[in-house]
Amino acid sequence: MRLDNLLAQEKISRKAMKQALLKGEILVDGCPARSLAQNIDTGLQELLFQGRIIQGYEHTYLMLHKPAGVVTANKDKELPTVMDLLSPDIQSDKLYAVGRLDRDTTGLLLLTDNGPLGFQLLHPQYHVYKTYRVEVNGLLTPDHIQAFQKGIIFLDGTVCKPARLKILSASLSLSQASITISEGKFHQVKKMFLSVGVKVTSLKRTHFGPWSLDENLQEGDYRALNSEELASIREFLRKSG
């Protein structure tokens, strides 16, 4: 939650917020707050306003193993959504998925009610890397690795940032690889492989920033982030505030 919104819930005036910020009287984990727009989670961080502890709001963070056939949306008139996978006691209009996965793409999704966090994780300036396990219907070669490193160019002229391609197995009819990208253009991974002459037949996200898919999670299952994963959230909030 934005710092100013959180303090407003405590009936603190905008003028008092600005004055306290300038005087260094708003502390987040012992350090002066940098901005009233700073994203704060009092469940993970200690917030002091002029020496008074502000309890605020503790956000929810979930890891979900998205199955194929489910859309990344809160509601859909025709298709099941990732929110439909959650038990009724945890469903909330405030929860949303950080980033999208295509309907036929599986793997790691983060769900949260921390809106600013999702915006920051997806913003190009933070360069949050995403890794996918991919299968394609043709041969991948070292030339493709170099092409991805240079930056794939789509047929419409769109230029992708450099990506890391690691070939895991290769044959004329089926190759497996992992690809790491730092942006999220529409159908980007599929278009990148089409641009080098092969078609993606299977796509699974395994990593999103510092978070890795828990392989003990079956498709369709989810869990709360553990202490180590929450520490990564806290660190991201500290750096991006």
Side-chain angles (χ1 to χ4, degrees):
M1 180 179 291
R2 280 176 54 122
L3 175 58
D4 52 359
N5 292 337
L6 198 157
L7 294 177
Q9 292 182 353
E10 298 294 313
K11 310 300 181 184
I12 298 171
S13 70
R14 186 78 180 180
K15 180 179 179 180
M17 293 180 205
K18 291 181 177 179
Q19 290 176 343
L21 182 71
L22 290 173
K23 294 178 180 178
E25 296 175 342
I26 305 176
L27 301 181
V28 181
D29 285 340
C31 298
R34 294 183 288 273
S35 165
L36 290 177
Q38 190 169 340
N39 186 13
I40 303 293
D41 183 345
T42 55
L44 300 176
Q45 300 165 294
E46 180 185 69
L47 174 62
L48 295 178
F49 181 86
Q50 296 178 333
R52 174 164 64 97
I53 295 178
I54 304 296
Q55 297 295 343
Y57 182 83
E58 183 174 348
H59 288 286
T60 297
Y61 304 97
L62 304 174
M63 176 185 294
L64 183 142
H65 189 165
K66 180 190 172 298
V70 174
V71 295
T72 308
N74 282 45
K75 295 180 181 179
D76 192 278
K77 293 181 179 180
E78 299 178 357
L79 298 169
T81 74
V82 292
M83 296 303 169
D84 294 329
L85 300 173
L86 304 180
S87 61
D89 63 307
I90 204 169
Q91 290 181 0
S92 168
D93 291 338
K94 295 180 179 180
L95 278 176
Y96 72 100
V98 180
R100 300 179 63 86
L101 291 178
D102 299 340
R103 185 174 67 175
D104 56 349
T105 300
T106 64
L108 173 60
L109 264 183
L110 295 179
L111 305 178
T112 184
D113 56 359
N114 187 340
L117 174 70
F119 174 80
Q120 292 168 334
L121 286 172
L122 299 173
H123 198 283
Q125 80 177 76
Y126 295 110
H127 304 290
V128 176
Y129 289 94
K130 298 168 279 289
T131 299
Y132 297 81
R133 176 73 177 262
V134 60
E135 291 184 359
V136 299
N137 66 348
L139 181 65
L140 292 176
T141 70
D143 288 341
H144 293 126
I145 295 176
Q146 295 180 10
F148 277 70
Q149 287 176 339
K150 292 179 180 178
I152 295 294
I153 301 176
F154 295 159
L155 295 178
D156 64 4
T158 299
V159 179
C160 296
K161 292 181 179 179
R164 297 196 298 269
L165 178 67
K166 180 180 180 181
I167 299 173
L168 304 175
S169 65
S171 72
L172 291 175
S173 60
L174 173 66
S175 296
Q176 296 180 324
S178 68
I179 176 175
T180 301
I181 61 176
S182 62
E183 52 189 346
K185 294 179 172 63
F186 184 65
H187 292 315
Q188 179 173 343
V189 173
K190 295 178 180 179
K191 289 181 178 179
M192 291 174 81
F193 282 98
L194 282 176
S195 296
V196 297
V198 292
K199 181 179 179 181
V200 171
T201 57
S202 176
L203 187 62
K204 178 179 183 178
R205 184 158 68 192
T206 58
H207 298 79
F208 186 95
W211 303 284
S212 303
L213 178 64
D214 183 345
E215 292 296 344
N216 292 320
L217 278 179
Q218 299 297 313
E219 289 190 6
D221 288 345
Y222 63 93
R223 64 164 173 78
L225 295 193
N226 60 36
S227 58
E228 182 177 348
E229 293 158 347
L230 288 174
S232 295
I233 295 279
R234 180 176 178 174
E235 180 65 11
F236 187 83
L237 291 174
R238 183 187 69 80
K239 290 181 178 178
S240 62

